[in-house]
Amino acid sequence: MNGHADTSVYPLRVEGELDSHLSRWQWLVKWVLVIPHVIVLVFLWIAFIVLWLVALVAILFTGRYPRAIFDFNVGVLRWSWRVGFYSYSALGTDRYPPFTLADVPDYPARLNVEYPQELSRGLALVKWWLLAIPQYLIVGVFAGGAWAGFNAMSDNGGWTSGGGLIGLLVCIAGVVLLFTGRYPKAIFDFVMGMNRWCYRVAAYAALMTDKYPPFRLDMGGQESAPDTAESNVVTPKPGTGLS
């Protein structure tokens, strides 16, 4: 590591578009509506964990993440994010999530991970537990005590349960929505930042990247490259005498 701030785009991208017209009351019953998804996600996350172990062995011997397993596991993360965005990880849309691992470009919630051409064999042994411990502590605050580490991701199909600070803020947003018909944009942006942080840690723990998740809360529905040091330099106006 060097002393410069990491200003590059993370290999995992999490985005969400807040619906302009949300139902005031539908969020009260979404816990029932997502039951079919939760059932499917339980089995998908069991497969995720098994395939993660297969990928770990493959990385140790070849330095590569098997592409078919990678695409499947990304699909599980993507499915979990769509369900979470619809339900209690964001309440960002009333559009019912599709039952698919594939990317759905016109759905309001999207998740993609850049495929790594090569991965460190040594890091694969330690990054998902030892190196990620500081991240797990932060994610535990964001997503709740139920998310205690990589293995806990399979308990509720990701963060669809909406515990911790995310769950609290989403609940507040739901109450405001119920009485005013509006979702506070500031809460949405903050919730998106926390969800984005959680899924970055998930991708790192799932061995999908060697790039350590930044300690940075990138808020808002859309991801963009962080400001670089150069973009923050003030250019002196002509005639000021500054150089």
PDB file of all heavy atoms in Angstrom, residues 17-31:
ATOM      1  N   GLU A  17     -31.818   3.095  -9.074  1.00  0.00           N
ATOM      2  CA  GLU A  17     -32.563   4.283  -9.495  1.00  0.00           C
ATOM      3  C   GLU A  17     -33.844   4.381  -8.667  1.00  0.00           C
ATOM      4  O   GLU A  17     -34.706   3.505  -8.733  1.00  0.00           O
ATOM      5  CB  GLU A  17     -32.890   4.191 -10.981  1.00  0.00           C
ATOM      6  CG  GLU A  17     -33.614   5.405 -11.533  1.00  0.00           C
ATOM      7  CD  GLU A  17     -33.887   5.283 -13.010  1.00  0.00           C
ATOM      8  OE1 GLU A  17     -33.280   4.404 -13.659  1.00  0.00           O
ATOM      9  OE2 GLU A  17     -34.718   6.055 -13.523  1.00  0.00           O
ATOM     10  N   LEU A  18     -33.970   5.432  -7.892  1.00  0.00           N
ATOM     11  CA  LEU A  18     -35.127   5.620  -7.034  1.00  0.00           C
ATOM     12  C   LEU A  18     -36.356   5.948  -7.871  1.00  0.00           C
ATOM     13  O   LEU A  18     -36.352   6.893  -8.667  1.00  0.00           O
ATOM     14  CB  LEU A  18     -34.859   6.751  -6.034  1.00  0.00           C
ATOM     15  CG  LEU A  18     -35.984   7.093  -5.051  1.00  0.00           C
ATOM     16  CD1 LEU A  18     -36.270   5.915  -4.129  1.00  0.00           C
ATOM     17  CD2 LEU A  18     -35.615   8.335  -4.246  1.00  0.00           C
ATOM     18  N   ASP A  19     -37.416   5.149  -7.696  1.00  0.00           N
ATOM     19  CA  ASP A  19     -38.665   5.412  -8.408  1.00  0.00           C
ATOM     20  C   ASP A  19     -39.236   6.751  -7.977  1.00  0.00           C
ATOM     21  O   ASP A  19     -39.237   7.089  -6.788  1.00  0.00           O
ATOM     22  CB  ASP A  19     -39.688   4.313  -8.125  1.00  0.00           C
ATOM     23  CG  ASP A  19     -39.432   3.046  -8.923  1.00  0.00           C
ATOM     24  OD1 ASP A  19     -38.458   3.035  -9.710  1.00  0.00           O
ATOM     25  OD2 ASP A  19     -40.185   2.071  -8.745  1.00  0.00           O
ATOM     26  N   SER A  20     -39.741   7.484  -8.939  1.00  0.00           N
ATOM     27  CA  SER A  20     -40.308   8.801  -8.631  1.00  0.00           C
ATOM     28  C   SER A  20     -41.691   8.701  -7.996  1.00  0.00           C
ATOM     29  O   SER A  20     -42.130   9.611  -7.298  1.00  0.00           O
ATOM     30  CB  SER A  20     -40.382   9.653  -9.908  1.00  0.00           C
ATOM     31  OG  SER A  20     -41.144   8.981 -10.910  1.00  0.00           O
ATOM     32  N   HIS A  21     -42.394   7.598  -8.244  1.00  0.00           N
ATOM     33  CA  HIS A  21     -43.732   7.412  -7.680  1.00  0.00           C
ATOM     34  C   HIS A  21     -43.794   6.063  -6.961  1.00  0.00           C
ATOM     35  O   HIS A  21     -44.043   5.035  -7.577  1.00  0.00           O
ATOM     36  CB  HIS A  21     -44.797   7.485  -8.772  1.00  0.00           C
ATOM     37  CG  HIS A  21     -44.886   8.818  -9.449  1.00  0.00           C
ATOM     38  ND1 HIS A  21     -44.162   9.116 -10.588  1.00  0.00           N
ATOM     39  CD2 HIS A  21     -45.579   9.942  -9.118  1.00  0.00           C
ATOM     40  CE1 HIS A  21     -44.429  10.366 -10.951  1.00  0.00           C
ATOM     41  NE2 HIS A  21     -45.275  10.888 -10.088  1.00  0.00           N
ATOM     42  N   LEU A  22     -43.552   6.102  -5.667  1.00  0.00           N
ATOM     43  CA  LEU A  22     -43.600   4.900  -4.845  1.00  0.00           C
ATOM     44  C   LEU A  22     -44.929   4.831  -4.100  1.00  0.00           C
ATOM     45  O   LEU A  22     -45.466   5.861  -3.660  1.00  0.00           O
ATOM     46  CB  LEU A  22     -42.454   4.887  -3.832  1.00  0.00           C
ATOM     47  CG  LEU A  22     -41.039   4.668  -4.389  1.00  0.00           C
ATOM     48  CD1 LEU A  22     -40.006   4.997  -3.316  1.00  0.00           C
ATOM     49  CD2 LEU A  22     -40.866   3.242  -4.870  1.00  0.00           C
ATOM     50  N   SER A  23     -45.450   3.623  -3.948  1.00  0.00           N
ATOM     51  CA  SER A  23     -46.662   3.426  -3.171  1.00  0.00           C
ATOM     52  C   SER A  23     -46.415   3.779  -1.710  1.00  0.00           C
ATOM     53  O   SER A  23     -45.378   3.434  -1.151  1.00  0.00           O
ATOM     54  CB  SER A  23     -47.127   1.973  -3.290  1.00  0.00           C
ATOM     55  OG  SER A  23     -48.135   1.686  -2.333  1.00  0.00           O
ATOM     56  N   ARG A  24     -47.368   4.453  -1.104  1.00  0.00           N
ATOM     57  CA  ARG A  24     -47.213   4.820   0.296  1.00  0.00           C
ATOM     58  C   ARG A  24     -47.226   3.602   1.218  1.00  0.00           C
ATOM     59  O   ARG A  24     -46.569   3.596   2.258  1.00  0.00           O
ATOM     60  CB  ARG A  24     -48.337   5.770   0.727  1.00  0.00           C
ATOM     61  CG  ARG A  24     -48.295   7.142   0.081  1.00  0.00           C
ATOM     62  CD  ARG A  24     -49.422   7.992   0.619  1.00  0.00           C
ATOM     63  NE  ARG A  24     -49.429   9.314   0.009  1.00  0.00           N
ATOM     64  CZ  ARG A  24     -49.588  10.455   0.683  1.00  0.00           C
ATOM     65  NH1 ARG A  24     -49.741  10.412   1.993  1.00  0.00           N
ATOM     66  NH2 ARG A  24     -49.594  11.608   0.064  1.00  0.00           N
ATOM     67  N   TRP A  25     -47.982   2.592   0.866  1.00  0.00           N
ATOM     68  CA  TRP A  25     -48.227   1.487   1.796  1.00  0.00           C
ATOM     69  C   TRP A  25     -47.619   0.157   1.386  1.00  0.00           C
ATOM     70  O   TRP A  25     -47.505  -0.741   2.223  1.00  0.00           O
ATOM     71  CB  TRP A  25     -49.738   1.277   1.948  1.00  0.00           C
ATOM     72  CG  TRP A  25     -50.412   0.962   0.639  1.00  0.00           C
ATOM     73  CD1 TRP A  25     -50.975   1.853  -0.225  1.00  0.00           C
ATOM     74  CD2 TRP A  25     -50.540  -0.324   0.037  1.00  0.00           C
ATOM     75  NE1 TRP A  25     -51.465   1.207  -1.332  1.00  0.00           N
ATOM     76  CE2 TRP A  25     -51.210  -0.137  -1.214  1.00  0.00           C
ATOM     77  CE3 TRP A  25     -50.161  -1.607   0.412  1.00  0.00           C
ATOM     78  CZ2 TRP A  25     -51.493  -1.190  -2.067  1.00  0.00           C
ATOM     79  CZ3 TRP A  25     -50.450  -2.668  -0.450  1.00  0.00           C
ATOM     80  CH2 TRP A  25     -51.118  -2.449  -1.665  1.00  0.00           C
ATOM     81  N   GLN A  26     -47.219  -0.013   0.107  1.00  0.00           N
ATOM     82  CA  GLN A  26     -46.792  -1.330  -0.352  1.00  0.00           C
ATOM     83  C   GLN A  26     -45.592  -1.855   0.429  1.00  0.00           C
ATOM     84  O   GLN A  26     -45.442  -3.069   0.610  1.00  0.00           O
ATOM     85  CB  GLN A  26     -46.479  -1.306  -1.844  1.00  0.00           C
ATOM     86  CG  GLN A  26     -46.278  -2.688  -2.440  1.00  0.00           C
ATOM     87  CD  GLN A  26     -45.983  -2.653  -3.923  1.00  0.00           C
ATOM     88  OE1 GLN A  26     -44.936  -3.124  -4.368  1.00  0.00           O
ATOM     89  NE2 GLN A  26     -46.887  -2.087  -4.697  1.00  0.00           N
ATOM     90  N   TRP A  27     -44.746  -0.954   0.928  1.00  0.00           N
ATOM     91  CA  TRP A  27     -43.562  -1.404   1.658  1.00  0.00           C
ATOM     92  C   TRP A  27     -43.935  -2.165   2.934  1.00  0.00           C
ATOM     93  O   TRP A  27     -43.145  -2.968   3.434  1.00  0.00           O
ATOM     94  CB  TRP A  27     -42.665  -0.213   2.008  1.00  0.00           C
ATOM     95  CG  TRP A  27     -43.243   0.760   2.994  1.00  0.00           C
ATOM     96  CD1 TRP A  27     -44.053   1.824   2.719  1.00  0.00           C
ATOM     97  CD2 TRP A  27     -43.059   0.765   4.409  1.00  0.00           C
ATOM     98  NE1 TRP A  27     -44.375   2.492   3.869  1.00  0.00           N
ATOM     99  CE2 TRP A  27     -43.773   1.869   4.925  1.00  0.00           C
ATOM    100  CE3 TRP A  27     -42.341  -0.040   5.296  1.00  0.00           C
ATOM    101  CZ2 TRP A  27     -43.815   2.175   6.275  1.00  0.00           C
ATOM    102  CZ3 TRP A  27     -42.372   0.266   6.659  1.00  0.00           C
ATOM    103  CH2 TRP A  27     -43.100   1.361   7.133  1.00  0.00           C
ATOM    104  N   LEU A  28     -45.157  -1.962   3.436  1.00  0.00           N
ATOM    105  CA  LEU A  28     -45.596  -2.659   4.640  1.00  0.00           C
ATOM    106  C   LEU A  28     -45.810  -4.150   4.410  1.00  0.00           C
ATOM    107  O   LEU A  28     -45.769  -4.938   5.361  1.00  0.00           O
ATOM    108  CB  LEU A  28     -46.896  -2.029   5.160  1.00  0.00           C
ATOM    109  CG  LEU A  28     -46.789  -0.585   5.668  1.00  0.00           C
ATOM    110  CD1 LEU A  28     -48.177  -0.009   5.928  1.00  0.00           C
ATOM    111  CD2 LEU A  28     -45.945  -0.533   6.944  1.00  0.00           C
ATOM    112  N   VAL A  29     -46.048  -4.543   3.161  1.00  0.00           N
ATOM    113  CA  VAL A  29     -46.346  -5.952   2.861  1.00  0.00           C
ATOM    114  C   VAL A  29     -45.277  -6.605   1.986  1.00  0.00           C
ATOM    115  O   VAL A  29     -45.418  -7.758   1.605  1.00  0.00           O
ATOM    116  CB  VAL A  29     -47.721  -6.089   2.185  1.00  0.00           C
ATOM    117  CG1 VAL A  29     -48.819  -5.612   3.110  1.00  0.00           C
ATOM    118  CG2 VAL A  29     -47.768  -5.317   0.857  1.00  0.00           C
ATOM    119  N   LYS A  30     -44.211  -5.892   1.703  1.00  0.00           N
ATOM    120  CA  LYS A  30     -43.178  -6.469   0.840  1.00  0.00           C
ATOM    121  C   LYS A  30     -42.501  -7.677   1.469  1.00  0.00           C
ATOM    122  O   LYS A  30     -41.966  -8.528   0.759  1.00  0.00           O
ATOM    123  CB  LYS A  30     -42.135  -5.401   0.462  1.00  0.00           C
ATOM    124  CG  LYS A  30     -42.629  -4.433  -0.599  1.00  0.00           C
ATOM    125  CD  LYS A  30     -41.544  -3.445  -1.021  1.00  0.00           C
ATOM    126  CE  LYS A  30     -42.035  -2.544  -2.151  1.00  0.00           C
ATOM    127  NZ  LYS A  30     -41.013  -1.570  -2.568  1.00  0.00           N
ATOM    128  N   TRP A  31     -42.524  -7.756   2.783  1.00  0.00           N
ATOM    129  CA  TRP A  31     -41.929  -8.931   3.444  1.00  0.00           C
ATOM    130  C   TRP A  31     -42.675 -10.203   3.040  1.00  0.00           C
ATOM    131  O   TRP A  31     -42.072 -11.285   2.993  1.00  0.00           O
ATOM    132  CB  TRP A  31     -41.935  -8.748   4.950  1.00  0.00           C
ATOM    133  CG  TRP A  31     -43.306  -8.722   5.567  1.00  0.00           C
ATOM    134  CD1 TRP A  31     -44.106  -7.637   5.731  1.00  0.00           C
ATOM    135  CD2 TRP A  31     -44.021  -9.836   6.104  1.00  0.00           C
ATOM    136  NE1 TRP A  31     -45.285  -7.997   6.334  1.00  0.00           N
ATOM    137  CE2 TRP A  31     -45.262  -9.348   6.576  1.00  0.00           C
ATOM    138  CE3 TRP A  31     -43.741 -11.194   6.246  1.00  0.00           C
ATOM    139  CZ2 TRP A  31     -46.224 -10.158   7.164  1.00  0.00           C
ATOM    140  CZ3 TRP A  31     -44.686 -12.013   6.834  1.00  0.00           C
ATOM    141  CH2 TRP A  31     -45.916 -11.503   7.284  1.00  0.00           C
TER     142      TRP A  31
END
